[in-house]
Amino acid sequence: MRIIHSLFFKPFRSLRLTFLGLAILLSYPSLAQLNISTAMTPTQLVQNVLVGTGVTVSGVTYTGSINGRGSFTNGNTTTLGFSDGLILATGNVTDIDQAASAFASTDLAMPGDVDLETLIGSGNSSHDASVLAFNFIPLADTIKFRYKFGSEEYPEFSNSSFNDVFGFFLTGPNPLGGAYTNKNIALLPGTTTPVSINNVNNGLSNTGPCVNCAYYIDNASSGTIVYDGTTKILTAWALVVPCVQYHIKLAIADVGDGIYDSGVFLEGNSFSSNAVTISTYYTTPQAGTDAVEGCNDAIISFKLPAVTPNPFPINYSIHGTATNGVDYTTIPAGVTIPAGQDSVTVTIHPIVDGLTEGTETVMLIFQTSICGGYDTVSVNIIDNIPISLTTSNDTTLCGGSATICTTPAGGIQPYSYNWSSGAGTTNCVTVSPGNTTTYTISVTDICNTLATDNVIVYIGSGSANAGNDTSMCLGEQMTLAATGGTGYLWSTGATTGIISVSPTVTTTYYVTVYGTCNAYDSVVVTVNPSPTVSASVNPLSIYMGDQAYLSATGAASFSWVSLPPDPTLSGQSNMANPVVSPPVTTIYLVTGTDPNGCQGNDTVTLIVIPIFPMPDFTSNIQSGCEPLLVQFYDQSTKVAPGADYFWDFGNGTTSTAQNPVAYFADRGKYDITLTITNPGGYVGSMTASQYIEVYPNPIARYIVSPSNDVSIFDPTVNFFDQSVGNPIHWYWTFGDSYYDTVQNPQHIYPNEDTATYPVMLIVTTVHGCTDTTQFNVIVHPEWALYIPSAFTPNKDGKNDFYFVTGFGIYDKDFEMTIYNRWGQMLYKSDDITKGWDGKFDGQYALPGTYIVKVYYRDFLQRKKEAQKAFTLIR
């Protein structure tokens, strides 16, 4: 029969597509194209496309043609109703986009599926099956996803004995009893009827009779999706047992033959269970992602994937450095999502207290599902610091314009600016007033905090005087003085009124004088050349006690000086030809003056051969860090055998060795003196001034914030260098194989476990001197206690005992007591694992409100207590 139908209907469908296709394109507005891809692997289709919140998946498998599965995007611009998701089809998924194909009918030559054949009920075989299967663990009591089925068999093969088939087969525990075994959950809403072409249609020509046509769409004129008919968007769902593994099989196949394609669209991220998710947004998002006193509230939203039919309580513990009810308005220790809603919010509203407290935090730790998953949300509270302005100084104009600026600090950015007199709305503006004008700047931040300041722009005038032209000798310095203002700029770059210059040629100097207004002047300095003076000595060397003859030429007058001073030059210093007899080798400097008063000079050295040699020395080093050990080496020449050595190291220590070692314990500069006494009694001495320099060592110091004992929930430590001695390099090791070289690092320790981490800081100065300090950082655990608000001791195996739970609790010192409303104690236990069965004196207590008091110690064995009212429900 399927072959007969195909022979009769295929030509008709081709003609309809040929002649009606143009009419469709002309009659309906064009929609955007559905983007379809077969590039993803089956695992990527499930993990990256289909799965949403509240489930974890594994073991993804696929059987069928690679062309029979794919992902899609851009669906929100088509008639599909989903923006993105995955597709399973009995033909090529790329043919589903009507822009790519006018009719989807491809035989993939693939086998069918036995589970789908159980849904056919007609004895027909299946073909071209595309089957995607995987395991999943739900975090809540319901699993669901949204889908849409479409087919080219609509409407011609409606209500026939064979149709393409699809199903979603679930296997796993049934929370109402027993187990699901390939349970098809692709059902019409509120029924046990499978979704199929025969069960959802509007007759062979879309004119009736109606079969559940409230769920049917005549799609022949969509212009985007090729299938002639589709279902509306439906939801597949099932009750499940949280935290238990299930298996689901998503399958579709041709029936009877492999043509006339069908497909099922699954909405992206819709495969989910009703676990709680959390998000945070802010009332003034322009102020950033911090809660700001008096400006920006943080809204924490707890959301279920769907509306809850019953109240859904959410308990959390409050942590952080901010104090509930002091730093922000009081929030409860838990909230409830009301029945008929899918979310509830908690508002962190910072209290304006006028105190500068720095950044404080609010942390809520809550259980995201009954499987025991936890999540944490953290909100920073920052001070609303008043705006302060640093504004340009008052200024004076001598024509032209001036740029005036303000730089705000504090407040909450971005800032808005408004200058008076219409000067502008930016932080810097350019003004050109005709008269002296006061400009007022008003700065407002995002929290509408206002700050103002003023700048006065004056109008003025000025003058300049650089002094008379002058002359000088080459090599001399000339003092130039300018007057007429309060500031100066010379052509040399100097910025003082009086400057010294040393030109080598005649030069004109220009000066700008700054006063109320600027003025200009210049001065000419004429340079006279210096005379060429020559000095000589005869002979060039003498023995001590002999005479030598000095001679100078090239000038009108002369003046001699000697180094070291020569007593025999006395009385001859102004002669052209003095006769000298110095005791040691001496340098003679002669200065000659010409008629212009300009001077030239020359030097000559007279060598005096001593009757004993002079001391000299070197060392292996001349500088280093304290303490410093120095090896000295004698470099003296012509030392007579048997000479005596005496070293003075300038630090209170001496030595008589020829090549001694000296120890310099303290920082400072030291003069080194070597004295050599020859056997004949002749003494020679040499002093090297500040020859040795010992640099100081730094002292490594630090502080940490918030402390060196931090929580495993926020193991962040800020290290601040407090070292003295001007170090330039810092080397931190944090005890967990990480290091840093910045001065003030921040380090986040592992939060997998608690531990003690040895930290070391090494600091180094510009001279390479170092110091080291070591200390420990401790990452400690945290604790929490959870007290239920109700229990039902009705022997149904669920919630029959009332007990508290927690983590980080020291179970050696625990006590729980339960009282009725009149203060009578009904139950007491020192074992946290044991709970109250609802009985007193062998009888069940009446339903109502009771009080529980808990005394315990946390992981640090600090004493704690808690009290709460709870309800006994029958």
Side-chain angles (χ1 to χ4, degrees), residues 549-552 560 572 575-579:
Y549 301 91
L550 301 175
S551 176
W560 295 86
Q572 306 180 78
M575 296 181 180
N577 301 294
V579 178

Side-chain angles (χ1 to χ4, degrees), residues 72 75-76 80-84 146-148 233 265-267:
F72 68 88
N76 56 322
L80 182 60
F82 301 145
S83 63
D84 60 86
R146 300 210 306 164
Y147 68 95
K148 190 171 188 175
I233 295 175
F265 304 83
L266 287 81
E267 182 180 21

Side-chain angles (χ1 to χ4, degrees), residues 18 48 172 233 355 362 409 411 452 485 507 576 643 710 721-722 732 774 797 814:
T18 302
N48 300 348
I233 295 175
L355 302 176
V362 181
T452 62
T507 304
V710 294
D721 171 55
Q722 300 288 302
W732 300 83
Q774 294 179 315
F814 173 85

Side-chain angles (χ1 to χ4, degrees), residues 588-627:
Y588 295 92
L589 169 67
V590 62
T591 300
T593 304
D594 67 8
N596 292 322
C598 297
Q599 295 180 331
N601 53 63
D602 195 12
T603 60
V604 66
T605 300
L606 174 58
I607 297 174
V608 177
I609 301 172
I611 58 175
F612 63 89
M614 293 296 292
D616 192 14
F617 61 86
T618 59
S619 63
N620 63 329
I621 55 174
Q622 288 186 247
S623 63
C625 302
E626 60 179 339

